[in-house]
Amino acid sequence: MTALRLALSRIGRLPHARSFASAHRPNSLFSPLDDFAERHIGPDDGETNTMLSHLGYKSMDAFVDEAVPPKIRISADEISNKTIPVFSESQLLARAKDLGSLNKPYKSYIGMGYHCAVVPPVILRNVIENPQWYTPYTPYQPEIAQGRLESLVNFQTMVMSLTSMDIANASLLDEATAAAEGMVMSYVSSGYRKRKFLVDVGVLPQTLAVLRTRAKGFNIDLVVADALSAIEDDMLRKDLCGVLVQYPDVNGHIKDFSTFAESVHAAGALVVCATDLLALTMIKPPGEWGADIVLGNSGRFGVPSGYGGPHGAFFAVTEKLKRKMPGRLVGRSRDATGKPAYRLALQTREQHIRREKATSNICTSQALLANMAAMYAVYHGPIGLRRIAHKVHGFAQVFKDSVESFGYDVANATFFDTITVKVSNAKELHDVSITAGINLRQIDDHSVGVTFDESVTTNNLVDLINVFATASSSSPVSLQQLQEPDAPAIPPSLERTSEFLPHQVFNKHHSETEMLRYINHLVSKDVGLVHSMIPLGSCTMKLNSTSSMIPLTWEEYSCIHPFVPFDQVQGYHTIIKELEQDLARITGFHSTSLQPNSGAAGEYAGLCVIRAYHESRGESARDICLIPLSAHGTNPASAVMAGLKVVSVKVQDDGNLDIQDLRSKAEKHKDKLAAFMITYPSTFGVFEDGVQEACKIIHDNGGQVYLDGANLNAQIGLTNPATCGGDVCHMNLHKTFAIPHGGGGPGVGPICVAEHLSPFLPSHPVMPLGGKAINAVSAGPFGSSSIHLISWAYIKMLGGQGLSNATKIALLNANYMASRLSGHYNLRYKNVNGRVAHELLIDLVEFDKKAGLKVMDFAKRLQDYGFHPPTCSWPISTCMLIEPTESETLEEIDRFCDAMIQIRKEAEDVISGVQPKDNNVLKNAPHPMHVLTLPDTEWNRPYTRHTAAYPLPYLEEKKFWPTVSRIDDAYGDLNLICDCSSVEEMATN
């Protein structure tokens, strides 16, 4: 035995030493010590054996054999360190740095809706690089999410103020998909009667591509034309539901749409306006000239371009449209003591409630990026934003004057930040610019576009001007020769005269000290993975490792425009290609598209691919989609968006799919059957034995199988969607592959497909695939490209063996938890061996019957114990769906189980009458500090303050305090307020 091995063997025998579940000790002195699997997987070898023994197993293999049906198992060789080699943390970061060096840091003036944002360091370090901001979940439990809810209200207020619209949501996925939502809203607002939607020629090309995809599913007729003239067409007006205009447009023009909007409204249609928030500090806001829906990309407000995203799209509407608006909306309400509090409002609009009646499948939005944009506005305030806008506009004016002095003609007399220059040979000019390390937008053979942003320095400006000087054989200029413009190049009738952002929050935190304190004050109100386990079923809240997050904000990845030439992003494309290949291997499929930028977008894309496949075979009549009641909540809405008709399939009492009902409906609709959507393992938390038989039934009747990959964390290395019988699946990179949830986004939902579906994967106008490919489903060619880095790093650092081990531990943690809770709660579903998959469903209906205690009473009480509650009232209204993931240690799992068992005892006190049904520790939960410090004369509760705050001993050392008591949802919806308090309200209060 070598000295190293002898030393390691002694360490392993130390009484308090912690070994690891997923890695052996180093075989040699030269093996890396920073093995990622050891840090990612929570239980060590001892804890793993403890849980296996508790469940009655002597080995992990024996346990897995009873949890996962043998007929769907794959060989261990398919996902191994040979097929997916493993990197240590330091090796991965070194490789990321090497690949980043292949991305050329050229200065881009391409525009087209993307800008190189300047991220204030106080926001960079304390928001996007802060796990307290990026690890929380969507704020469905508002009492422990008041910080980011307040910040999202700031975002909504910012959008409402800059656009002069009545109400705004808390972000959408990107500008192009937001425009598609606007189009569908227009169609719905026409009573589903008018099918023509006019798109102005000045709209961004990627937006038009996404509109084409979305229009097909709703049978909307897109008309692309000069909107100002096309609106005079009487035939068009008769069937017109809406119009989309870009303001300023893609070539920089600022048009007056006031009269145009009146004409559109006279035709009974809606005006949808895509715009730019920074421009709106200087130009007349759309709400003042008649727009009904206003949308765009908030990315230039301090969010890195990241080769296409993620960025938070904004979406604002008039008062009359608020209940049809897609996406999440944060509103002000009050808690049980009357204290103001925020929560998600009007949730009955959302897809998981409306299902096949929904016309939008929006689930994940872009909360983290919306919060960054809001913080940017808070930090700069109205004066700072106006100053930035004036500099951007002024640089554009200086550039225009300079190139005109060289003899060039400028196509647009009005502009904010974009100049279209007419040239004799665009390719020659482009060659000169590339030599100078500059990217321009080549519009056609005789036109180039130049767009300015906040990041452009005076040296950049001089270098840019001299590119045009060189191409025209003019003398180069120096900074000293440049003249400041006398006045803005915006028509007086289109200049903004109204104030914006008068609210106190945007006029207070302008020093870094104040901003730092404000950011940390807000985040102190929220529970994230930095505090405790977040056991949300079907959400997979696992570790978001620091090592996988580090490259995200490196300049070589964060400051790249999505439309730069291919040879400038070789590093990015290597990462993208490797990630595509690894995901295809993991799922067992042939090809991957990373373009969908959320799980729901992946569902939609996969179904569009299936439809395109059927059409290519002359079977366009296939439009029936079978969906079990146990499928994921977004599935029916996604099917409707793809133009499919939903037919529900029954589920048996034991939670399994009703195979006979499936067979009956598949055969009934065999001539029109397009697809079958199934979540596997099911949302009931079990691996169903009959999944392969179900898929064969669909194939035998001419359909394709869409396997929802929301629960892929239970499959990797043990089975895969292809083996189960699927033809296409999506994955949630923000679940299985460790991208942070960000408090409600970003997310990524790539799709993997079988070989026969590969030709139909989404294309993009900037990087067209040609052939049979469907049109784009998101604005960026690769969706939210920058955060692909996180999943790429996660897969590489775990390697094949680590990925498989992670899945096994995820299954073990869930089954151990099910065993511990089963004597206290009713475990709703399990397989024939008594096992669940990676999550478990407990039914609380008995407590409602015996004591009037609802699911939400248990959820709110868990907050007092320092835990974010599991998924509540879904997929069954009386249940909690619990998923611990592989990242949690046995100690944390036991702590959660202890809390749930103690709450069960508290419920028993209500059942037995020790505490009254209407005034007990569950009904009154949570208990924030301001409630616990009430005077004795006001403390009217039949339990002590200590019982409320410290029901278990660990809380006396480690306690998270909710900042509000239980929030009144109904009051908030009836008294809808979705913006910050005005100055007058603040003064009154």
Side-chain angles (χ1 to χ4, degrees):
M1 181 179 287
T2 67
L4 174 67
R5 292 181 184 177
L6 181 61
L8 289 172
S9 69
R10 288 171 178 167
I11 291 172
R13 292 197 296 270
L14 292 175
H16 300 295
R18 182 175 169 81
S19 58
F20 304 101
S22 57
H24 298 293
R25 295 187 179 94
N27 290 321
S28 95
L29 178 66
F30 306 107
S31 299
L33 294 175
D34 55 340
D35 185 272
F36 176 69
E38 298 176 354
R39 305 304 183 191
H40 174 75
I41 296 176
D44 64 18
D45 290 337
E47 291 175 341
T48 298
N49 290 330
T50 296
M51 288 189 282
L52 287 170
S53 178
H54 175 86
L55 295 172
Y57 298 101
K58 294 183 178 180
S59 70
M60 179 67 80
D61 288 343
F63 160 70
V64 171
D65 286 344
E66 292 203 345
V68 184
K71 65 181 73 172
I72 64 168
R73 294 288 299 277
I74 60 175
S75 166
D77 295 334
E78 290 195 32
I79 305 298
S80 68
N81 285 351
K82 289 184 178 180
T83 58
I84 303 179
V86 63
F87 288 73
S88 71
E89 291 182 279
S90 58
Q91 289 170 340
L92 187 284
L93 290 172
R95 185 155 191 267
K97 183 63 73 172
D98 288 342
L99 290 175
S101 69
L102 300 179
N103 296 328
K104 299 177 182 178
Y106 286 12
K107 188 64 186 171
S108 291
Y109 299 87
I110 298 170
M112 298 175 70
Y114 294 97
H115 307 84
C116 183
V118 175
V119 187
V122 67
I123 296 174
L124 178 72
R125 175 58 59 89
N126 294 287
V127 180
I128 194 172
E129 293 180 346
N130 183 351
Q132 287 186 274
W133 277 99
Y134 64 68
T135 64
Y137 188 63
T138 303
Y140 285 128
Q141 295 292 334
E143 295 85 359
I144 51 175
Q146 286 298 293
R148 65 187 181 280
L149 284 167
E150 180 177 328
S151 184
L152 289 171
V153 167
N154 292 345
F155 177 82
Q156 293 174 178
T157 303
M158 172 190 79
V159 172
M160 292 161 63
S161 183
L162 287 168
T163 61
S164 288
M165 298 298 285
D166 297 324
I167 193 167
N169 72 13
S171 77
L172 293 177
L173 297 174
D174 59 34
E175 180 170 334
T177 54
E181 297 287 351
M183 174 183 69
V184 175
M185 271 190 73
S186 300
Y187 170 54
V188 172
S189 295
S190 77
Y192 301 90
R193 296 189 307 273
K194 298 184 174 183
R195 293 193 175 273
K196 291 191 184 299
F197 188 78
L198 175 61
V199 182
D200 186 64
V201 291
V203 165
L204 303 175
Q206 66 269 24
T207 297
L208 178 58
V210 171
L211 288 173
R212 291 191 192 282
T213 311
R214 191 73 62 91
K216 186 173 183 179
F218 288 95
N219 197 24
I220 295 171
D221 181 12
L222 278 190
V223 179
V224 182
D226 178 355
L228 290 175
S229 56
I231 194 64
E232 303 301 324
D233 184 337
D234 288 337
M235 291 298 293
L236 173 66
R237 292 172 65 86
K238 288 180 181 178
D239 196 32
L240 187 68
C241 65
V243 183
L244 174 64
V245 296
Q246 195 91 32
Y247 175 76
D249 74 13
V250 66
N251 296 321
H253 299 275
I254 305 174
K255 300 175 183 177
D256 188 343
F257 290 112
S258 301
T259 304
F260 170 80
E262 292 175 0
S263 181
V264 172
H265 292 150
L270 299 181
V271 176
V272 184
C273 174
T275 190
D276 178 277
L277 291 178
L278 192 64
L280 295 183
T281 66
M282 294 186 68
I283 66 176
K284 189 176 184 179
E288 293 180 12
W289 54 250
D292 301 287
I293 300 169
V294 181
L295 55 91
N297 179 0
S298 68
R300 75 186 305 171
F301 274 29
V303 181
S305 50
Y307 197 43
H311 304 120
F314 60 89
F315 195 92
V317 301
T318 57
E319 177 72 17
K320 68 179 181 180
L321 295 175
K322 68 183 180 185
R323 293 185 183 273
K324 297 177 182 177
M325 181 170 58
R328 291 177 177 137
L329 179 67
V330 180
R332 210 185 320 164
S333 186
R334 64 186 182 190
D335 74 0
T337 66
K339 183 178 178 180
Y342 297 108
R343 23 70 81 193
L344 295 178
L346 301 181
Q347 289 193 61
T348 52
R349 303 168 301 113
E350 294 197 31
Q351 42 69 31
H352 64 282
I353 294 174
R354 291 182 56 78
R355 292 179 67 84
E356 67 270 16
K357 295 180 181 178
T359 53
S360 170
N361 69 348
I362 287 293
C363 183
T364 297
S365 55
Q366 302 286 20
L368 182 65
L369 298 318
N371 282 329
M372 286 185 69
M375 291 297 184
Y376 180 91
V378 168
Y379 193 41
H380 288 294
I383 295 174
L385 292 177
R386 191 72 181 255
R387 190 162 53 210
I388 294 167
H390 273 285
K391 185 163 188 176
V392 169
H393 180 62
F395 273 25
Q397 289 178 278
V398 171
F399 170 77
K400 173 182 177 291
D401 294 342
S402 298
V403 297
E404 285 180 333
S405 72
F406 301 150
Y408 294 99
D409 291 328
V410 171
N412 53 317
T414 62
F415 58 88
F416 168 64
D417 63 3
T418 298
I419 307 293
T420 297
V421 185
K422 297 179 180 179
V423 299
S424 58
N425 189 317
K427 184 181 183 304
E428 288 183 3
L429 179 63
H430 182 70
D431 291 342
V432 174
S433 74
I434 292 296
T435 302
I438 290 173
N439 291 316
L440 305 174
R441 177 184 170 224
Q442 188 172 331
I443 299 172
D444 54 38
D445 291 343
H446 301 290
S447 303
V448 295
V450 181
T451 298
F452 292 84
D453 57 46
E454 181 190 1
S455 72
V456 178
T457 65
T458 52
N459 288 338
N460 295 148
L461 177 61
V462 171
D463 291 343
L464 174 65
I465 291 171
N466 284 332
V467 164
F468 286 80
T470 300
S472 62
S473 301
S474 303
S475 299
V477 302
S478 65
L479 179 61
Q480 291 71 29
Q481 294 171 271
L482 302 180
Q483 299 293 317
E484 291 193 27
D486 295 327
I490 297 171
S493 63
L494 289 177
E495 286 188 4
R496 179 164 197 146
T497 57
S498 56
E499 71 170 357
F500 57 90
L501 304 183
H503 318 79
Q504 185 182 63
V505 71
F506 298 109
N507 293 276
K508 182 178 181 181
H509 308 288
H510 298 159
S511 74
E512 181 168 337
T513 302
E514 284 299 311
M515 190 66 195
L516 178 66
R517 290 170 181 164
Y518 181 63
I519 290 172
N520 284 283
H521 167 65
L522 292 189
V523 81
S524 70
K525 301 179 180 184
D526 294 6
V527 165
L529 286 172
V530 297
H531 299 100
S532 58
M533 177 199 313
I534 301 180
L536 284 153
S538 199
C539 299
T540 316
M541 299 292 291
K542 63 172 65 178
L543 170 72
N544 311 125
S545 74
T546 305
S547 51
S548 65
M549 293 291 291
I550 286 174
L552 187 66
T553 52
W554 288 349
E555 187 174 357
E556 51 263 54
Y557 292 109
S558 66
C559 297
I560 297 178
H561 194 285
F563 303 153
V564 300
F566 184 85
D567 64 354
Q568 294 179 21
V569 280
Q570 291 300 301
Y572 248 123
H573 281 271
T574 299
I575 288 170
I576 287 169
K577 189 66 177 176
E578 288 184 4
L579 180 57
E580 288 175 344
Q581 291 171 345
D582 285 343
L583 293 177
R585 180 177 295 280
I586 287 167
T587 59
F589 285 126
H590 180 272
S591 303
T592 305
S593 171
L594 295 172
Q595 194 178 119
N597 48 8
S598 77
E603 294 174 11
Y604 167 69
L607 292 171
C608 289
V609 164
I610 288 174
R611 292 221 71 185
Y613 167 74
H614 287 311
E615 289 169 4
S616 74
R617 293 159 53 88
E619 297 182 324
S620 57
R622 291 190 175 275
D623 64 354
I624 297 295
C625 185
L626 302 181
I627 302 180
L629 296 175
S630 59
H632 212 253
T634 51
N635 288 177
S638 297
V640 169
M641 287 170 56
L644 298 171
K645 299 171 184 175
V646 175
V647 175
S648 296
V649 178
K650 296 177 183 177
V651 175
Q652 296 175 335
D653 291 341
D654 61 2
N656 287 324
L657 178 70
D658 189 327
I659 293 291
Q660 294 308 313
D661 190 53
L662 177 69
R663 189 188 310 277
S664 172
K665 288 172 178 172
E667 292 174 352
K668 176 182 178 181
H669 298 289
K670 64 180 180 179
D671 294 331
K672 301 195 71 179
L673 181 62
F676 169 53
M677 300 186 79
I678 183 171
T679 304
Y680 198 73
S682 78
T683 56
F684 293 160
V686 290
F687 285 99
E688 298 179 46
D689 282 334
V691 63
Q692 290 174 322
E693 180 185 358
C695 294
K696 185 177 185 302
I697 290 170
I698 300 303
H699 290 143
D700 288 346
N701 287 280
Q704 295 286 287
V705 175
Y706 174 93
L707 198 147
D708 187 307
N711 293 338
L712 191 67
N713 206 49
Q715 295 188 37
I716 300 177
L718 304 179
T719 183
N720 62 47
T723 299
C724 291
D727 300 289
V728 55
C729 79
H730 91 273
M731 293 144 288
N732 298 80
L733 298 192
H734 51 291
K735 295 182 182 180
T736 308
F737 298 101
I739 289 176
H741 282 71
V748 179
I751 57 172
C752 292
V753 299
E755 186 171 5
H756 65 282
L757 296 179
S758 297
F760 306 96
L761 288 173
S763 184
H764 193 277
V766 176
M767 295 182 182
L769 297 178
K772 302 175 182 178
I774 65 171
N775 270 304
V777 295
S778 76
F782 302 100
S784 297
S785 301
S786 66
I787 56 176
H788 298 335
L789 282 161
I790 302 169
S791 294
W792 170 78
Y794 172 83
I795 292 171
K796 295 303 184 189
M797 288 191 294
L798 277 179
Q801 188 60 54
L803 288 165
S804 297
N805 288 344
T807 293
K808 293 174 184 177
I809 295 297
L811 297 175
L812 180 63
N813 282 354
N815 277 274
Y816 173 80
M817 184 179 284
S819 177
R820 277 216 62 195
L821 296 180
S822 61
H824 308 275
Y825 294 94
N826 175 28
L827 183 63
R828 184 69 183 262
Y829 298 115
K830 52 192 174 184
N831 70 10
V832 293
N833 299 314
R835 297 287 154 242
V836 298
H838 66 308
E839 58 191 358
L840 54 138
L841 194 67
I842 60 171
D843 198 338
L844 306 177
V845 66
E846 62 180 288
F847 302 102
D848 189 9
K849 294 177 179 178
K850 296 177 182 177
L853 295 172
K854 311 287 187 182
V855 172
M856 206 52 68
D857 297 320
F858 286 80
K860 303 307 181 186
R861 183 56 175 155
L862 259 175
Q863 296 178 13
D864 285 328
Y865 287 77
F867 284 104
H868 190 294
T871 300
C872 295
S873 301
W874 187 88
I876 297 174
S877 62
T878 58
C879 291
M880 279 184 168
L881 186 63
I882 309 171
E883 180 183 358
T885 85
E886 72 275 11
S887 297
E888 302 299 338
T889 64
L890 177 58
E891 180 181 3
E892 182 72 354
I893 291 169
D894 277 336
R895 195 166 70 91
F896 175 81
C897 291
D898 290 344
M900 288 293 293
I901 291 167
Q902 184 66 20
I903 294 172
R904 173 64 180 84
K905 294 176 181 176
E906 293 172 342
E908 187 61 35
D909 283 346
V910 182
I911 293 171
S912 63
V914 174
Q915 291 190 40
K917 291 183 178 181
D918 61 346
N919 183 19
N920 56 70
V921 73
L922 280 83
K923 284 290 182 186
N924 293 332
H927 296 82
M929 188 69 75
H930 72 268
V931 169
L932 291 170
T933 55
L934 288 171
D936 290 342
T937 55
E938 297 181 32
W939 183 262
N940 61 347
R941 308 184 182 203
Y943 49 88
T944 67
R945 291 175 170 84
H946 190 275
T947 297
Y950 305 112
L952 287 175
Y954 74 82
L955 291 163
E956 297 186 19
E957 178 184 353
K958 182 182 178 183
K959 170 76 175 176
F960 181 90
W961 291 95
T963 54
V964 295
S965 57
R966 193 175 308 194
I967 294 174
D968 187 338
D969 288 328
Y971 177 86
D973 282 351
L974 291 171
N975 302 273
L976 190 63
I977 301 172
C978 298
D979 60 351
C980 300
S981 299
S982 66
V983 175
E984 292 79 7
E985 287 176 311
M986 295 289 287
T988 300
N989 292 335

